[in-house]
Amino acid sequence: MKSFRRLPAPAGRLAVPCALPLRPFHATLMGCLLGLGAPAMAQSALEPVVVTATRTPVAASQVLSDVTVYTRKDIERQGAGAVADLLRLAPGFEMGRSGGSFGTTSLFVRGADTRHTAVLIDGVRVDSQSTGGATWEALPLDQIERIEIVRGPDSVIYGSDAIGGVVQIFTRKGEGQPRLELGVGAGSRGLAKADASLSGRSGAIDYAVSAATERSDGFNAIVSPTNSSYNPDDDGYRNHNASARVGLDINKAHRLEVSALTQHVNAQYDGYASTDDDHAVHDLDTARLAWSAQWLDNWHSDLSAGESKLRYETRPSAYVTETRVRSYAWNNQFSFGEHLLTALLERREDELENTGLSSAPTAGEGDRSQNAVGLGYAWRHQGYALQFNARQDDDSQFGSHTTGGVAGGLELGAGWNLRGAWGTAFRAPTLYQQYSASGNPNLKPETSRNAEVGLRFRQGGFEAGATVYRNKVRDLISYDAPGICADSWGCYRNTGRAVLKGLTLDAKGSIGPVRLAGSVDFSSPKDAETDEILLRRARRHASLRADTDAGAWTFGAQWLVSDKRQDFDYDSYSAKTLGGYAVLNLDVQYRISDQWRVLLRVDNVADKDYQTSYDYASVPRTVFVGLRWAPKF
């Protein structure tokens, strides 16, 4: 009989699925996936452990959700840029960006809007109460040790926001002997960066501190001189960030941990009808205190308190918005042989300061709170698995909201596994949508119902899978109906509906010395009212990663492919078609010694001219060279 046990802290290697975006998609993909399954497969490394799917550590092969894990190795290979540059390669992800790496960025998970993805840093929720969702361009890449992605609704675990999925970012954690690492790099258009980190363990205390800085002269973001925001200057950026994480093992059963992160980005952009040197300034700060306790052999609990502050300011035009999110959680797990019970108490407090909040109780300010209780049950026995979860959130503005989910898995033998899941989710309206001049205090939460089925094959170091999903989203908040509120331009109302459905195919493995990983998505994210594909989403998109070792050298390549998409031009007030594209990125690493490494990366090798947002250029060909030193003590 198998019993549930608490797994060690997250560790492991890349668990990113694979895909081949060749033309035509349908004719070549399955041949690729079958080809990867040749008998000569390398044995897989230590299996990753995932905590985000259920808020408890679970081996990746036993998770009943569609997950992806990125490690520090994958992050360093990226070279430079923001978190979105890495996540756009993940299955089910699409990106829309206005200009360079730190321009306004949207990420669509399985076609869901960017505000429908819950984002956490070390368990701390990051969310803008003006635009809704995380500000992706403000999330640092240098401070990250690991990223876990869960696709599909997870509000039953995390409350508001998780209609499309959850992204959790983990900062660096110290272990073993003291380790110092220094890095410098330079590249095209004045790109330069430097970072330093120190981590390790001394007795009962583990520690990790790091800092990084990055700058670039950028490029002219807006393509057409007829655009009302066109300014022919280059739009560069400056980025500074730092993090610290310290843990204390009081004894074998109790641990205290404190973590903090800060990020400052000053990015140039082209403002509307402006000839000024416009700047967008992002500041992100997070902090968390956590206590982990093993009270009994079968009872473990985690108690935490955290806060995030997200501030956005434009200069010289005067606009400032600042969101604070405070969260408190007490999570408990009780194991009884093959059965696992979980119980969660959680409180979230949102505060927004914005000069546009004219209808708030206090002009320029708004706040609300949510109290939640969640219960879960999981069972696993001889290849069968079941999981049930329920949660109720009581919001100070719109009352209570209940979410639920059920999932099951079945091992079919010979490496095959079948899973299915059904769940509900919601996104609370932002404080700006409620209290601004165009706000509506009677807004209801956006809600969704999702069903999905996944089939996965694992054998040796090879795995491949397929996931089919259908997510119906109701009460979408839209901006329309001018003349019925204080703002003559319009008001926020619950008027929209969407149906997000699709198929994701993925695989990873080795053919001889070459490691391959990738995915392909066939999706149909539609507006249920008009039956039109949602803006900036493609029906087909795919990615492929290949790398191989040759002595001290490691050669890698990434191929990113997307079909055409629709966007909207607010100058002409008409729909526009964005062409499809295929982008190739190459990277080479050379290990000079155990302490020295050199990285060469070339992004957009063919200097492809393409757009992910109408009239905004994407990053042209960029060369980056980096040097890393990790001395041994």
Side-chain angles (χ1 to χ4, degrees):
M1 294 177 61
K2 297 181 180 178
S3 62
F4 284 94
R5 60 186 178 88
R6 185 163 179 83
L7 295 172
R13 69 178 187 87
L14 177 68
V16 182
C18 155
L20 289 196
L22 302 177
R23 290 179 179 264
F25 276 68
H26 301 78
T28 59
L29 178 68
M30 291 312 297
C32 157
L33 296 180
L34 294 174
L36 284 178
M41 286 295 145
Q43 186 64 31
S44 62
L46 180 66
E47 183 178 10
V49 173
V50 177
V51 299
T52 304
T54 60
R55 295 177 90 147
T56 59
V58 180
S61 62
Q62 297 183 7
V63 174
L64 297 177
S65 303
D66 188 12
V67 300
T68 294
V69 178
Y70 285 113
T71 66
R72 184 64 202 169
K73 180 180 178 181
D74 310 309
I75 295 167
E76 289 182 354
R77 187 188 290 128
Q78 182 64 36
V83 168
D85 294 290
L86 179 66
L87 295 187
R88 69 182 301 195
L89 300 170
F93 277 68
E94 293 182 86
M95 183 181 76
R97 174 180 281 164
S98 301
S101 296
F102 293 94
T104 301
T105 303
S106 299
L107 281 179
F108 311 109
V109 183
R110 288 185 175 178
D113 195 86
T114 192
R115 69 181 183 275
H116 294 155
T117 298
V119 177
L120 302 97
I121 298 178
D122 289 331
V124 178
R125 182 67 61 88
V126 177
D127 181 42
S128 168
Q129 282 298 308
S130 54
T131 59
T135 307
W136 290 104
E137 60 271 21
L139 301 182
L141 193 61
D142 298 283
Q143 305 305 321
I144 299 172
E145 181 68 25
R146 173 186 178 87
I147 301 176
E148 293 183 0
I149 300 167
V150 179
R151 283 171 289 274
D154 221 5
S155 285
V156 72
I157 304 296
Y158 292 99
S160 176
D161 311 347
I163 286 178
V166 180
V167 174
Q168 180 152 208
I169 294 168
F170 298 91
T171 58
R172 301 185 185 189
K173 180 181 178 181
E175 56 186 9
Q177 296 295 315
R179 177 180 175 84
L180 173 67
E181 188 165 354
L182 304 174
V184 294
S188 308
R189 289 174 296 282
L191 174 61
K193 65 175 297 183
D195 65 270
S197 65
L198 177 65
S199 62
R201 172 179 281 272
S202 177
I205 299 177
D206 59 83
Y207 56 89
V209 293
S210 59
T213 182
E214 181 179 336
R215 54 95 62 201
S216 173
D217 294 335
F219 56 94
N220 185 23
I222 295 183
V223 176
S224 174
T226 63
N227 189 297
S228 58
S229 296
Y230 179 79
N231 189 329
D233 66 331
D234 289 338
D235 301 304
Y237 63 84
R238 304 293 185 272
N239 169 28
H240 312 292
N241 52 74
S243 68
R245 186 172 176 180
V246 180
L248 170 64
D249 294 331
I250 302 172
N251 53 42
K252 292 183 178 180
H254 295 269
R255 172 180 169 83
L256 292 175
E257 185 175 274
V258 60
S259 60
L261 178 145
T262 183
Q263 159 102 332
H264 173 81
V265 178
N266 187 329
Q268 294 171 289
Y269 76 101
D270 293 338
Y272 176 74
S274 172
T275 57
D276 293 324
D277 182 15
D278 294 293
H279 288 250
V281 180
H282 296 270
D283 287 290
L284 169 65
D285 298 286
T286 68
R288 181 176 186 257
L289 175 64
W291 172 24
S292 177
Q294 189 73 43
W295 298 104
L296 300 171
D297 288 344
N298 66 339
W299 176 21
H300 182 92
S301 72
D302 296 284
L303 182 65
S304 64
E307 178 183 271
S308 69
K309 183 180 74 172
L310 193 60
R311 188 178 190 275
Y312 175 77
E313 177 183 1
T314 58
R315 303 170 184 168
S317 59
Y319 175 77
V320 178
T321 182
E322 180 176 299
T323 298
R324 289 181 182 267
V325 180
R326 297 184 182 92
S327 55
Y328 313 89
W330 185 33
N331 192 31
N332 295 268
Q333 304 102 46
F334 306 91
S335 58
F336 303 94
E338 299 173 330
H339 309 274
L340 178 68
L341 300 177
T342 58
L344 171 71
L345 294 176
E346 188 167 29
R347 177 177 173 82
R348 170 176 169 172
E349 299 170 353
D350 297 311
E351 294 181 5
L352 175 64
E353 294 186 15
N354 187 301
T355 53
L357 296 186
S358 58
S359 61
T362 301
E365 298 181 6
D367 63 79
R368 67 152 175 250
S369 62
Q370 294 175 6
N371 295 316
V373 57
L375 297 173
Y377 167 75
W379 169 78
R380 183 175 292 274
H381 174 73
Q382 295 181 354
Y384 297 90
L386 285 175
Q387 180 177 314
F388 300 92
N389 291 91
R391 174 174 169 136
Q392 180 160 337
D393 289 83
D394 187 11
D395 190 281
S396 60
Q397 297 295 332
F398 57 79
S400 63
H401 194 90
T402 302
T403 50
V406 58
L410 174 63
E411 294 180 9
L412 304 175
W416 291 93
N417 180 276
L418 179 68
R419 66 171 185 87
W422 177 90
T424 60
F426 76 101
R427 163 77 212 195
T430 69
L431 289 167
Y432 188 86
Q433 290 170 336
Q434 292 179 297
Y435 289 137
S436 66
S438 54
N440 180 354
N442 298 316
L443 287 173
K444 298 184 294 183
E446 300 168 299
T447 62
S448 76
R449 294 177 181 269
N450 179 84
E452 62 185 80
V453 176
L455 180 65
R456 183 157 294 276
F457 174 77
R458 293 184 178 91
Q459 187 177 82
F462 170 75
E463 68 175 84
T467 300
V468 179
Y469 60 89
R470 180 183 175 89
N471 196 357
K472 297 181 67 176
V473 187
R474 296 180 178 273
D475 293 321
L476 282 169
I477 297 173
S478 58
Y479 183 75
D480 61 3
I484 66 170
C485 62
D487 192 333
S488 60
W489 288 95
C491 297
Y492 290 104
R493 296 200 303 167
N494 294 104
T495 60
R497 294 187 300 121
V499 177
L500 317 174
K501 58 184 179 180
L503 165 67
T504 298
L505 301 173
D506 62 77
K508 68 185 183 74
S510 301
I511 299 179
V514 180
R515 299 178 293 273
L516 295 170
S519 65
V520 61
D521 282 271
F522 304 94
S523 61
S524 178
K526 287 188 175 182
D527 183 324
E529 306 292 337
T530 64
D531 201 40
E532 296 290 335
I533 296 293
L534 296 177
L535 297 179
R536 300 185 183 179
R537 280 77 149 182
R539 287 184 176 273
R540 300 181 297 181
H541 56 95
S543 67
L544 172 67
R545 171 72 196 179
D547 57 61
T548 187
D549 299 321
W553 296 85
T554 298
F555 300 92
Q558 295 172 337
W559 194 18
L560 188 66
V561 177
S562 179
D563 206 347
K564 62 183 180 181
R565 288 137 294 124
Q566 295 293 311
D567 204 352
F568 197 80
D569 176 16
Y570 286 93
D571 276 350
S572 64
Y573 217 73
S574 61
K576 300 292 184 180
T577 298
L578 307 180
Y581 60 86
V583 177
L584 176 65
N585 305 321
L586 300 176
D587 58 85
V588 179
Q589 293 190 62
Y590 178 67
R591 293 174 293 283
I592 302 173
S593 67
D594 291 342
Q595 300 183 19
W596 293 90
R597 287 175 293 148
V598 177
L599 167 69
L600 169 64
R601 182 178 176 91
V602 184
D603 287 334
N604 195 359
V605 174
D607 202 21
K608 177 72 175 181
D609 181 14
Y610 68 102
Q611 299 176 23
T612 60
S613 297
Y614 177 70
D615 233 2
Y616 282 91
S618 293
V619 179
R621 181 169 51 233
T622 299
V623 178
F624 174 81
V625 179
L627 177 66
R628 304 200 68 80
W629 179 45
K632 296 185 181 298
F633 292 96

